[in-house]
Structure formats: structure tokens, C-alpha cells
Amino acid sequence: ELRLSHQWSDNDVRHKVAQMVADEVAAADVDLDIKIFGNQSLFKAREQYTPLSRGQLDMTVLPLSYAGGQQPAYNLTLMPGLVKNHDHAARLTSSPFMDELEKIMAEDDVMVLVHGYLAGGFAGKDGCATTPEQLKGKQTRAAGKAFEQMLAGAGASIASMASSEIYNAMQTGVLDAANTSSSSFVSYRIYEQVACYTPPGDYALWFMYQPLLMNKTTFEGLTQEQKDALMAASEKAQAFYLEEAKKEDGDSREVFKNAGVQIDEMTEETFKEWQAIAKETSYKDFVASTPDGQKLLDMALAVE
Amino acid sequence: MDPLLLGGLVALATVIVLFSGVSVAIGLLIVSAGFLLVFDGARSLQLMPEILFADLNNFTLLSIPMFIIMGASIASTRAGADLYEALERWLTRVPGGLVISNLGACALFAAMSGSSPATCAAIGKMGIPEMRKRGYPDGVASGSIAAGGTLGILIPPSVTMIVYGIATETSIGRLFLAGVMPGLLLVALFMAWSIFATWRSGDGKVLAYTPYSWKQKVEILPRVLPFLVIILGVLYAMYGGIATPSETAAIGALLCLLVAVAIYKLWSPKALWTVLRDSTKESVMILFIIAAAGVFSYMLSSLFITQSVAAWIADLEVNRWVLMAIINVFLLVAGFFLPPVAVILMAAPILMPIITASGFDPIWFAVILTINLEIGLITPPVGLNLYVINGIAPDIKLKTILWGSMPYVLCMVLAIVILCIFPGIATWLPSAVMGQGL
Amino acid sequence: MAGQTPGTHHARTGGNPFLRAVAGISTVSGWIAAAMIVAAVAITCQMIFIRFVLNGSTIWQTEAVVYLMIAATLIGLPYVQHLRGHVNVDLVPMALPMGARRALAFLTMAAGIAIVAVMLWYAWEFWHFAYVRGWKSDTVWGVALWKPYLALPVGLALLLLQLIADLVALVLRHDTPFGLDAT
Ligand code: NA
Ligand code: NA
């Protein structure tokens, strides 16, 4: 029996990915049972990587950047401007850059079963929050350290809080703008509080790598049949994950539009503008604080 | 082993361990460690400190000591006495004005304090001796304050609402607002019973009014001002866009400390240390239970007990109101033995999926849960407010306090029934202020 | 029937030097915990000021406040134990005759000491792990995690010390079982 922990509810795509792997493996009839503990019922969201790497937990679906404090290289998996859209993200997951990351994971006895990126956007309370100019001087909540650095570089003020607090903070005026994932924008009903939404489209800044991970030693202890079943299930789940990720962005766009929120698109020009700021802020800090940082960054940027 | 059977074993072991007299937090750790070791192996035992840390690693928890400091600093001054005196001078023509004033003062104080024992102590210190002096029966004097004190966790701010909000990811701002009208409903019920009980005790002149001149009425008003400043300041910070509810607690704590020092001259280091010591003591006690309950619920979840019990209850196929009644009895019994925070943390993961699946509003349920836990505060064996009263008025027999409190327990049960019939009493205000939303 | 005893009841030392030393250490821990809570209030107010009045960025405050609260809780444990502030259900001990009550007190104290000792061991191991691997928090502030994690072994060690002192006080009959007076 394997134990899989994650932080999401049953209708979240990341739960569905985990469930799919569990179901497929069960159907393969190889005497392998995956028990899913969702909703942080076993470990808190940010406390899953350590038990995974120590073999106290077998599997998890996790934003890898949560462990960026343990392996600074992981910070590249939530870095503004590295991923343009979902197809680009899919190419990134099968690139030499990802091979490098997997080597680092292997040092912690961790391996990837299912690759996947989810995207997110920006929303502004009184107006659009798309360009650096628009975010200047705004109290902004950003998801992730690198985004906070980039936004601060653009002159925004950073307020840190959980995504569950965005709604109230927007309503009372503590926040002017927020950045989070498409699904959080919808599930926390942020559309009731904002005037303008910048969903991920042809261009988006915010992509977060959220793979299904497994403890490597545990995996190696399985029989060949079990390994094969697990890998086959994972491959199927990965295709599903990509489709659902795209769909989520589209859904968030629809929901906000139907709620009467203005939809603003991120253009290539704005994307480049942000990337230029990121180069001076988040990229710079990443390279300075990560062994082989420049090499890894170049490898990621090299993916067409 | 079947998880349901295992769950029964855990329940039995928990009751035995907690009744052995060990402190609640350490008892929870002992039970968790025992079951993890036997059914999950040493690897889970190894995780206990990590889980302990993770459960405290939450910004929202910060508001617990802050709201406790608010209550403790004001409670250490004569502000509580000022409050009920002012109310009494103005309510003098109302029969039973003094007990009414004390209950009103409890409600107002509850709007500044997040914890119940603090509310109880603040008003009771002067209120109980005064009521007894004027001939109110001991049971009414002590019972009304014990019950009035429980309002501390229903009328916002509230430590238990914060814990509920964290455990269920519900908006704390909404939860706070949901407690306001049920709180007022309870105050009204408490007042009604107090007047009736006093009248029944046959000493009619207690209910007659003491005359106060207009001069006396006006001159006490400035002494109530600090309360209004604090309450309005906190409300403005919370709903006016200055800070999130958890941050607001710090503003409240600072305001209360400042008021206590500047207006009530609480500036001797010894007096300040007493405030800090009491706040630290209560906060650490609650936070340790929170952390230990986190380890306990890890154990329940790891052994698949939480999930199995929730699925079992969901499959019961009983009428949703029968289900609600069962849940209430369960909460009531748990509340008899455990402090409110521990009950919430252990019950929330099991109950939440059931509550939402049967179509109950989690915000409304928070109020029902809180009133249940208020009952636990004035019932043995662990009734924190009873001990506070016992400390304030040692010459009233614990038995008298207990019997005096019983009718107020019935008031709370009545309030739960009323809330089940008219859920809008809890849900209307949060919707009106913050929109339908989450 | 007592539960959390109000007032200023606390562990009795009977003038024993070891017990007095531990009482002293626990009291200092209490001061440190209280100071940390006050610091958390101050930092939170500073954060609100920066954000609301100056419209500035607040990077490190929430994290610092959380770590202070965790440390205050853990470091405060021995003090609250010393003050007998950890709530318990002592219906059964009260109902027991003195001999049985004493035996039960030994049993619960030994169990408490055992669990805290086990947790202390793993807490130390966890802290050491974070220290050797150089873990940092995944925020802009990026604190070295061994610093906040240090509160775990330190707090548990201090609690263990106070629990042992309580057991010694019981053995030497300086304190009564469960702090209850003979009835
Ligand atoms: Na309150
Ligand atoms: Na009780």
C-alpha cells in the first residue's frame, strides 16, 4: 500500500490526476493500492516534501517550488517569464533542463511520475493589473517569491497572505491587486471583487510546476510489474493533466467574463517588459543564491 | 484492523488517558504516539515534532494571544466595574437592573475579548459581590456571570471562531459577524431567565429600582468611552480595509494595553507583568493543545479513521435534522470534558464533509458549534468558567454555582433550537456586510 | 474537580535546590515567551503601519511573527507547566484515596516524561537535519530554518526538565499528587 498526500479538494484537477493514477494502477491488478489523503488531511501543504524525501510519505502532488528553500534550483519552477504557455510548458518538461532538475530531486531520493504545469493570472480591484505601469504603487499579493521580487522591482507594494484571504482583503481594500492560479481565482470567487482580470492566454507570466512525485527508494522496491503499471498510469495521467490545465485557464476566463469583469490580454510586448524586470530582480537573485544557477537558468531559457 | 473499530479503540483510549489527570495536550500526544507506534510503525513517531511545528506554523493563530491580551489587560483594571455601573445607572428603571447590567457588561466585554474566562473574570470580580450585597440569590449572581462570560467566544472577536476558520478554511471575518446576532439572542434569553429567577426567589425589593440622579448618570459616561474607542477601533480596522482579522488582533491588543496604561494607570511593572503572565499562560495552554490536537488528527487520518468515520456517518441515511441532533449531542458530550479549542480541532475534519454534504451552511454551523462549546464551559468536569467564578467568589459553594448555571445551559439549548428554526439569525449579518460570497 | 486552577497556584519546591533551580529556569522561559508575544504584537502593528500608512512592501513581518509565536509557545511550555496552567481533567484523581492517587500521579508523570523525551529526541534529529542541509524558508526573506526550528528541541528540553522536577517533587513529597491537597 502506498500513501499519497496532497492539499486539494476532491474536485481539483490535481486530485483527479492522483485519483487517475490510483485507479489505473488498481485496474492493472498488480497488488498495489494507492491511498489518497487529500485536503491536507495528512500533512500541511508546505510540509510534504521533507517526509517524502525521508520515505515517511510515498507520493505527493506538490508545487515543487514549495521546497525551494531546501533545493534552491526548484525556484526555477515558479519563475516569471520562463514559460509562455502550456505547449511551451510541455516542451520544457521533456527538455535537458528538466533532466537536470530530476537529478537534483534524485539527491533527495525523490522522482517524478507525472509532469505538469498550472497557470495563473492577475486581477485588479479598480483597474487592470497587466502591465508594470499599472501595478506601480499597488498593494499586491503575489504567489511565490520570484513574483514578489519582480513586482517589487516594478514598484508594486507586496503584501503576503494566503490565497484564501484574497477575497476579504480585496473587499476591505487591504489589497489592490492579486496574482494566483486560475483555479484559485475561480474557487475563491475573486470575480466578485475585481474590475479587471488578466487570464493566462497566448502569453502568461505565472506558471507553476506541480508534479506528482514519489519516493525513489520506495519505487525501486516495487516489482517490475508494479513499476510498469505505475509508469503506464502516470503517462496517461500526464496527458489528462495537460488538457485539464488548458481547460482551467479557459474556464476562469469564462467565469470572470460572465461575472461582468473586464478581460485584459497579456501581449508579447508586455510579457517582454515583465521579463526584462525579472532579469534584473528575480533572475539575478536566483543566480546569486543557487549553485550552478546561471547554467540552469540558461538551460530553461534555451527551450523553444 | 477495520478503521471504524480502530476509531472506537482510539476513543476509548483517549477517554481513559484524559481521565487519568494528565494534561489534555500531553494526553493527546500519548494516545497519538501509542497508536502510531502500534499501527503505523516508528516512521510516523519520528514525524511528531515536525507536525507539532507545522500546526503552529500559521499566521492566523497569532490572533489568539492577541485577543487574549485584549481581554486580560482590560480585565486587570476596574474597567469591568465601570462598565456595569454605567449600565446600571442607565437601566435603573428596568426590573432586575443590576443583573441585566452585568449581563450587558459581559456582552460588551465579550466584544473586546476573544476568550471566555477573561470575560467572566473581568465582569465577575466586582459584579458578583455587588449583586450578592443587594440581595440577588447566589445562584443567579454566579450563574449569570458564568453564563455571560461564555459569550466571550460567541460575540466577536473569538478564539474558537479563529480556530474553526483555520480548520475549515472559512472566512474569519464572516464567522465573527455570524456570532453577533446569536450572541444578542443569548443575552436576551439570559436576562429573561435572570429576572424570572430573581422574582421567583421572592425577594421583590431586589427588583425595585435604585434611584440615580441625572448627574450620576452623565458623570459615569466618560468611563465607558475607552470601551467604545477600542471596540470601534477594532471594528474599523477589521472591516474598514486596514488589516485582515488576524492582524487586527494586534491593533486591538495594543489599543487595550495603551488604554489600560494611560486611562486606568496600569503602569507598575508588576501589574503589567501580571497581565502578560496571565495572557502567556492562557495562550501557551491553548496553542499547545492546538499543536497536540494536530498530532492527534494526523494519527486519526493516517490510520484512515477520520475518513472512515466520516463516510460511515454520511452513509447513515438519516434525516439531516436527526443527523444535526446527533452531532449536537456528540459536541455537547465532548464539550463536557474537553476545552473548546480541542473539540473544534478534533471534530472539524470529521464533521465538515458531513455538514456540507447534508446542505448545512458551515458559517451557521460554526455558531451552533460555539454555543455547544459555551455549554461545556459551565458544565463539569472541565468547565473553565466555573473555576474562574470559584476563584472570584470562593465562599459560594461550587454546587451553588453549578445549579445556578444549569438554567443558563437550558437557555443555550433553546438558542440552538431557535437557530435551527431560524438560521438567518446567524447568516444574515455576514451576508449583508460581506455579500453572499464564500 | 479542578481543571485549570485559577490564581497563582504553581509547583512547590520545598526549598530543594534542584527544584528551585528548575523553577528559576522555567520562570525565565516564561519571561522570554512573554517578550516574544509582545514583540509579535509590535511587529504586526509595524507591518500594518508600513502597508496602510506608507503603502510600502511588507516582506519579512508575517513570517517573523509566526516564528515568534511558535517559539513563544514552545519556550513557554515549561513555565505554564510550572504554573500548573496546562488544563487537565482531575475528576478521577480527586475521587481516589491518597495512595492510589499517588500511584496514578507517578504513572501519568512517567508517561508524560516518556513522550516528551521521545519527541525531544526526534525534534533534535529534525533540527539537525535542517541545519546540516542548510534549509531555508521559501520566501524572499529566506531565513535559515534551523533558527526557528531550534525552538522545538529547546522548548521540549525545558519542558522535560520541568516535568522531571515535578516528578522529583512528588517523590520527595514536596508537592502533592496532581497538586491536589488532601481532602
Ligand atoms: Na469575544
Ligand atoms: Na465542561
Side-chain angles (χ1 to χ4, degrees):
Chain A
E1 180 199 282
L2 299 173
R3 300 202 299 176
L4 187 156
S5 153
H6 68 68
Q7 69 188 89
W8 295 284
S9 67
D10 286 1
N11 44 30
D12 190 282
V13 56
R14 288 154 287 193
H15 173 77
K16 290 180 190 157
V17 167
Q19 191 66 57
M20 195 167 181
V21 172
D23 291 346
E24 291 286 323
V25 168
D29 200 20
V30 288
D31 193 27
L32 188 61
D33 179 26
I34 300 176
K35 214 173 222 176
I36 300 178
F37 296 79
N39 260 324
Q40 313 196 47
S41 59
L42 203 55
F43 293 102
K44 299 270 175 292
R46 287 177 179 271
E47 317 288 338
Q48 300 174 107
Y49 186 80
T50 308
L52 179 77
S53 100
R54 299 176 81 184
Q56 293 151 332
L57 172 68
D58 304 311
M59 302 163 91
T60 180
V61 190
L62 179 84
L64 192 61
S65 67
Y66 281 5
Q70 298 188 19
Q71 295 289 2
Y74 296 168
N75 287 316
L76 269 186
T77 62
L78 180 59
M79 190 60 79
L82 276 199
V83 185
K84 296 180 195 72
N85 52 48
H86 283 293
D87 291 323
H88 187 209
R91 292 195 293 278
L92 210 68
T93 53
S94 55
S95 70
F97 159 69
M98 194 52 76
D99 296 340
E100 274 309 302
L101 277 189
E102 290 190 67
K103 272 185 211 156
I104 296 171
M105 289 182 230
E107 288 170 22
D108 284 347
D109 200 17
V110 168
M111 61 181 280
V112 181
L113 288 180
V114 179
H115 294 282
Y117 272 93
L118 289 178
F122 286 77
K125 185 173 168 62
D126 301 313
C128 293
T130 315
T131 66
E133 192 52 42
Q134 286 165 339
L135 275 160
K136 199 170 187 174
K138 295 249 169 75
Q139 280 292 341
T140 309
R141 184 269 181 190
K145 163 183 167 172
F147 280 80
E148 290 183 347
Q149 288 167 330
M150 177 187 75
L151 287 166
S157 296
I158 305 305
S160 52
M161 61 185 71
S163 51
S164 56
E165 283 201 83
I166 296 176
Y167 187 97
N168 282 334
M170 282 259 180
Q171 182 177 45
T172 56
V174 170
L175 272 189
D176 304 316
N179 150 236
T180 187
S181 66
S182 299
S183 61
S184 291
F185 267 126
V186 173
S187 62
Y188 290 118
R189 305 169 74 116
I190 309 298
Y191 47 84
E192 291 175 3
Q193 295 299 336
V194 295
C196 182
Y197 176 52
T198 316
D202 291 341
Y203 284 92
L205 285 172
W206 195 90
F207 277 85
M208 193 185 220
Y209 179 57
Q210 312 191 29
L212 170 55
L213 301 173
M214 183 165 182
N215 179 276
K216 207 156 174 282
T217 306
T218 310
F219 180 80
E220 278 153 9
L222 299 176
T223 67
Q224 192 56 44
E225 278 172 341
Q226 291 173 325
K227 284 183 195 167
D228 291 344
L230 203 50
M231 292 320 272
S234 299
E235 201 181 318
K236 201 167 162 192
Q238 187 163 322
F240 167 78
Y241 200 0
L242 178 62
E243 280 317 301
E244 288 296 307
K246 288 181 184 171
K247 211 170 119 231
E248 231 165 47
D249 296 347
D251 289 349
S252 76
R253 179 187 296 261
E254 276 307 298
V255 168
F256 275 71
K257 203 158 100 192
N258 292 341
V261 177
Q262 183 194 342
I263 304 291
D264 198 28
E265 300 293 344
M266 165 117 1
T267 61
E268 186 179 359
E269 198 189 355
T270 315
F271 181 84
K272 292 250 162 76
E273 221 180 307
W274 278 114
Q275 211 180 25
I277 297 173
K279 266 179 195 148
E280 291 306 309
T281 52
S282 358
Y283 293 8
K284 208 182 213 170
D285 178 73
F286 172 78
V287 169
S289 61
T290 315
D292 284 336
Q294 188 65 51
K295 187 185 121 199
L296 285 165
L297 181 64
D298 290 342
M299 288 178 88
L301 287 169
V303 178
E304 284 300 315
Chain B
M1 191 186 288
D2 174 50
L4 282 178
L5 187 65
L6 198 54
L9 265 182
V10 171
L12 186 68
T14 309
V15 169
I16 292 173
V17 169
L18 290 186
F19 268 81
S20 75
V22 73
S23 67
V24 171
I26 289 185
L28 291 176
L29 291 176
I30 291 173
V31 176
S32 312
F35 278 89
L36 283 175
L37 192 60
V38 174
F39 294 97
D40 219 7
R43 74 171 182 176
S44 279
L45 212 57
Q46 203 179 7
L47 281 164
M48 286 176 64
E50 237 172 295
I51 298 168
L52 200 74
F53 192 93
D55 277 287
L56 293 173
N57 195 352
N58 187 330
F59 183 77
T60 315
L61 286 177
L62 154 83
S63 44
I64 289 176
M66 307 294 129
F67 283 132
I68 290 174
I69 290 181
M70 280 178 76
S73 52
I74 296 296
S76 65
T77 66
R78 53 163 288 111
D82 282 354
L83 194 58
Y84 87 74
E85 260 184 48
L87 283 172
E88 204 226 342
R89 289 189 195 183
W90 284 86
L91 295 175
T92 176
R93 283 177 184 280
V94 181
L98 190 60
V99 66
I100 299 279
S101 305
N102 270 291
L103 280 165
C106 282
L108 273 173
F109 196 89
M112 284 193 325
S113 160
S115 95
S116 287
T119 309
C120 211
I123 307 301
K125 258 188 311 195
M126 309 295 271
I128 294 179
E130 190 65 25
M131 280 192 270
R132 295 174 77 200
K133 205 168 81 193
R134 302 232 206 132
Y136 283 84
D138 283 356
V140 173
S142 56
S144 64
I145 297 287
T150 67
L151 295 169
I153 56 169
L154 183 60
I155 295 178
S158 155
V159 167
T160 54
M161 291 282 195
I162 293 168
V163 175
Y164 180 90
I166 295 173
T168 63
E169 299 207 333
T170 331
S171 153
I172 289 166
R174 270 174 203 281
L175 289 170
F176 278 5
L177 287 171
V180 174
M181 284 173 53
L184 297 178
L185 170 71
L186 265 185
V187 176
L189 292 173
F190 290 168
M191 286 177 173
W193 167 258
S194 305
I195 295 174
F196 173 75
T198 311
W199 168 80
R200 201 190 50 171
S201 75
D203 194 352
K205 68 176 188 296
V206 174
L207 294 176
Y209 72 90
T210 335
Y212 285 106
S213 70
W214 275 103
K215 185 167 168 284
Q216 283 172 311
K217 284 185 186 180
V218 172
E219 76 184 2
I220 198 163
L221 281 183
R223 289 207 256 161
V224 188
L225 218 58
F227 280 86
L228 295 179
V229 170
I230 292 167
I231 293 174
L232 292 178
V234 167
L235 282 178
Y236 177 67
M238 199 175 326
Y239 297 102
I242 296 181
T244 64
S246 15
E247 295 166 1
T248 301
I251 300 184
L254 190 72
L255 269 176
C256 285
L257 277 173
L258 287 179
V259 164
V261 170
I263 298 177
Y264 295 101
K265 316 240 177 332
L266 184 86
W267 49 44
S268 87
K270 192 158 171 266
L272 274 173
W273 168 241
T274 307
V275 171
L276 272 179
R277 182 197 64 199
D278 291 350
S279 311
T280 306
K281 188 170 133 186
E282 193 178 339
S283 310
V284 169
M285 185 262 288
I286 291 178
L287 289 169
F288 191 30
I289 291 177
I290 290 176
V295 176
F296 190 77
S297 70
Y298 171 85
M299 180 269 292
L300 288 182
S301 179
S302 179
L303 304 183
F304 230 67
I305 296 170
T306 315
Q307 298 85 337
S308 309
V309 172
W312 176 68
I313 299 181
D315 287 346
L316 277 183
E317 292 198 15
V318 290
N319 174 289
R320 63 198 281 262
W321 289 106
V322 175
L323 190 67
M324 185 46 66
I326 297 171
I327 290 174
N328 270 290
V329 170
F330 165 74
L331 290 173
L332 209 57
V333 173
F336 286 163
F337 302 107
L338 291 169
V341 165
V343 177
I344 292 179
L345 286 166
M346 288 191 279
I350 296 181
L351 294 183
M352 264 342 266
I354 302 164
I355 293 297
T356 42
S358 16
F360 292 107
D361 180 347
I363 302 270
W364 169 84
F365 181 66
V367 174
I368 300 290
L369 176 74
T370 304
I371 299 179
N372 265 304
L373 300 178
E374 285 184 75
I375 294 176
L377 287 168
I378 56 173
T379 53
V382 179
L384 291 184
N385 282 20
L386 297 177
Y387 308 121
V388 174
I389 301 286
N390 196 20
I392 296 170
D395 59 318
I396 305 183
K397 286 207 185 72
L398 203 53
K399 211 173 106 189
T400 312
I401 304 177
L402 247 166
W403 281 111
S405 304
M406 280 309 125
Y408 296 94
V409 169
L410 295 180
C411 290
M412 295 188 208
V413 174
L414 181 61
I416 292 177
V417 173
I418 294 176
L419 276 161
C420 287
I421 302 172
F422 305 105
I425 298 173
T427 55
W428 177 78
L429 190 60
S431 302
V433 174
M434 305 184 70
Q436 290 299 321
L438 304 162
Chain C
M1 175 173 70
Q4 188 203 18
T5 327
T8 49
H9 258 280
H10 55 77
R12 282 161 249 185
T13 63
N16 178 297
F18 168 69
L19 297 183
R20 281 177 54 186
V22 174
I25 293 172
S26 293
T27 306
V28 172
S29 307
W31 292 344
I32 296 172
M36 284 171 159
I37 292 178
V38 173
V41 175
I43 293 174
T44 311
C45 291
Q46 185 259 8
M47 170 172 76
I48 296 167
F49 183 81
I50 298 265
R51 194 181 56 217
F52 185 70
V53 181
L54 307 180
N55 195 29
S57 285
T58 49
I59 301 285
W60 55 274
Q61 286 90 340
T62 40
E63 209 182 338
V65 162
V66 170
Y67 293 148
L68 278 171
M69 288 314 311
I70 297 175
T73 305
L74 291 163
I75 307 282
L77 289 178
Y79 182 57
V80 178
Q81 176 64 31
H82 173 69
L83 292 181
R84 300 268 183 268
H86 292 297
V87 56
N88 69 337
V89 185
D90 51 8
L91 270 190
V92 174
M94 285 199 72
L96 291 176
M98 201 32 133
R101 193 191 285 179
R102 221 175 131 74
L104 185 61
F106 275 119
L107 187 70
T108 57
M109 284 175 135
I113 287 171
I115 185 70
V116 173
V118 168
M119 288 187 64
L120 171 60
W121 170 255
Y122 288 126
W124 183 83
E125 200 189 63
F126 179 59
W127 173 84
H128 186 72
F129 205 66
Y131 180 78
V132 170
R133 295 238 181 147
W135 288 352
K136 287 181 178 169
S137 65
D138 60 328
T139 58
V140 175
W141 196 31
V143 176
L145 281 174
W146 67 265
K147 293 173 192 167
Y149 285 172
L150 190 59
L152 265 177
V154 170
L156 289 171
L158 291 169
L159 176 61
L160 184 64
L161 192 62
Q162 180 63 50
L163 288 172
I164 291 172
D166 288 350
L167 185 65
V168 170
L170 189 65
V171 172
L172 299 179
R173 299 190 182 252
H174 289 312
D175 207 350
T176 53
F178 299 99
L180 297 171
D181 291 314
T183 42

